[in-house]
Amino acid sequence: GGRGGGGQSPTTTAQSSAMGRVERRDVDIGGGDAQRPMEAVEEEGTTKTQWQCVAGLVVAVQKTLKFLRHKEVWSIILGQYFQSWGLWGLLSWMPDFFHEFYGVDKEDWIFATGPYVIQGICGMLSGAAADLLISRWKVRTLRVRQVLQVVSMIGPAVFLMLAVLDVREKFVGSLYVGIGTGLSALSLGGVSVVQLDVAPQNAGFVFSLGNTAAIFAGLLAVPISGKLLDVAQTWWEDPAEGEKNRWKIVMLLFAVHYAVGAFLFAALCGDERIEADKSTRELRQEEEEGSQKSHPSQEGEGR
């Protein structure tokens, strides 16, 4: 009889506390009365993220296909692929080549690394030469890219074949390979920068397409040339002759890739900005300008 009417029993207090814990696990969606468990909200968030990934992938594929419609982009992809076939192949097999073909000890590092020192020096000079030809001597950009890239591929093809056909001594062979790798560095003024000419707004994306092709070239060049080295040695009865001639076969494979790449790049390369790199506003503006040129003012007619 001593308790007031507002008092609560222990049972009622426990029930209220339990209901509070349940309510805290619910989420109010949109400020309405409907409440959903936290697990459902988390599942919805995961599903939304998955759909965002799918949508991003679709956009990437659409963008890639849009750029692949242009031959200039294919010149970069194919140029990088064929250029890198010889690059990765030589980088992997250079020590073995000098050891087996010229009898150089593998400890003589200068024969394996010297050509790449020459390549590094020529690479710096090729970029400066390309800029000089375009900016000061006013040579068309397309011609500069074509000449540098063709020389960077035909040059190695010629000198790699000389290294296995004009057999004299190891220093001459090293000189041939060094000249070939040095000339290959001219590509830094060729295929390596074409994306800046044709797609300046998406240069990184276009370069990634070519670089991906270059990676595939490396994945193929090393195992295929290695398998060819194993198989070609059995084509001659004399083991010593087979060991020499198998390197001729492999270098011929590299040379053919260089030559095919040079032809394709020269045929497909361009220096004008491609349509895929332009915004909708730019395309509309070009269309209006073209329409005005095709329909000149009729002022003066009928006089």
Side-chain angles (χ1 to χ4, degrees):
R3 289 195 294 254
Q8 293 182 346
S9 67
T11 303
T12 304
T13 304
Q15 290 175 346
S16 300
S17 177
M19 290 178 63
R21 287 196 297 271
V22 172
E23 289 175 357
R24 282 194 293 270
R25 296 185 59 188
D26 294 338
V27 178
D28 187 5
I29 303 299
D33 295 331
Q35 293 184 340
R36 300 170 58 189
M38 181 63 73
E39 290 79 1
V41 175
E42 292 176 351
E43 182 179 354
E44 181 182 283
T46 302
T47 304
K48 183 178 180 181
T49 302
Q50 293 173 344
W51 278 111
Q52 288 175 340
C53 292
V54 172
L57 180 61
V58 171
V59 172
V61 171
Q62 290 176 338
K63 183 176 181 179
T64 301
L65 294 176
K66 181 175 70 172
F67 276 86
L68 290 180
R69 293 201 300 264
H70 297 277
K71 64 181 183 63
E72 293 85 354
V73 175
W74 280 106
S75 75
I76 296 171
I77 294 173
L78 295 174
Q80 290 276 22
Y81 174 82
F82 286 103
Q83 182 88 33
S84 297
W85 183 285
L87 172 66
W88 292 114
L90 287 175
L91 190 64
S92 300
W93 297 111
M94 186 86 74
D96 293 319
F97 167 69
F98 277 108
H99 176 67
E100 296 180 7
F101 198 84
Y102 284 101
V104 176
D105 293 333
K106 291 188 176 181
E107 289 75 15
D108 292 340
W109 56 270
I110 189 64
F111 290 96
T113 60
Y116 293 101
V117 173
I118 298 174
Q119 186 182 48
I121 296 173
C122 292
M124 290 186 291
L125 295 176
S126 67
D131 292 341
L132 185 65
L133 288 169
I134 295 171
S135 62
R136 181 169 298 182
W137 291 357
K138 306 303 179 184
V139 181
R140 184 180 172 182
T141 302
L142 176 61
R143 296 291 174 259
V144 174
R145 305 297 184 223
Q146 287 175 325
V147 170
L148 290 180
Q149 186 61 33
V150 168
V151 174
S152 77
M153 302 184 86
I154 297 299
V158 171
F159 282 97
L160 286 180
M161 293 310 300
L162 286 175
V164 293
L165 296 178
D166 185 24
V167 183
R168 300 182 187 181
E169 56 181 20
K170 57 185 180 182
F171 294 103
V172 176
S174 179
L175 178 62
Y176 283 148
V177 176
I179 294 174
T181 55
L183 291 175
S184 70
L186 296 179
S187 65
L188 295 178
V191 68
S192 297
V193 292
V194 173
Q195 62 272 357
L196 298 173
D197 302 326
V198 300
Q201 297 299 320
N202 294 272
F205 174 74
V206 176
F207 180 79
S208 70
L209 297 178
N211 196 54
T212 301
I215 293 173
F216 277 108
L219 292 174
L220 294 174
V222 178
I224 290 177
S225 56
K227 183 65 176 179
L228 188 58
L229 285 171
D230 293 336
V231 174
Q233 189 171 6
T234 63
W235 296 347
W236 287 267
E237 295 182 359
D238 184 1
E241 185 180 3
E243 186 169 301
K244 289 279 188 180
N245 288 331
R246 67 175 185 163
W247 284 107
K248 297 179 181 179
I249 300 298
V250 169
M251 291 301 178
L252 177 61
L253 178 63
F254 292 164
V256 169
H257 274 81
Y258 276 128
V260 172
F263 171 78
L264 292 175
F265 179 85
L268 299 175
C269 182
D271 60 354
E272 300 291 337
R273 190 179 176 194
I274 60 177
E275 182 179 314
D277 189 61
K278 300 175 183 178
S279 65
T280 304
R281 180 179 179 181
E282 290 175 308
L283 293 173
R284 187 181 300 113
Q285 184 177 357
E286 289 183 358
E287 184 179 353
E288 292 175 354
E289 292 175 355
S291 178
Q292 291 176 0
K293 291 180 180 179
S294 61
H295 298 86
S297 174
Q298 301 297 320
E299 184 180 357
E301 290 187 1
R303 292 184 181 180

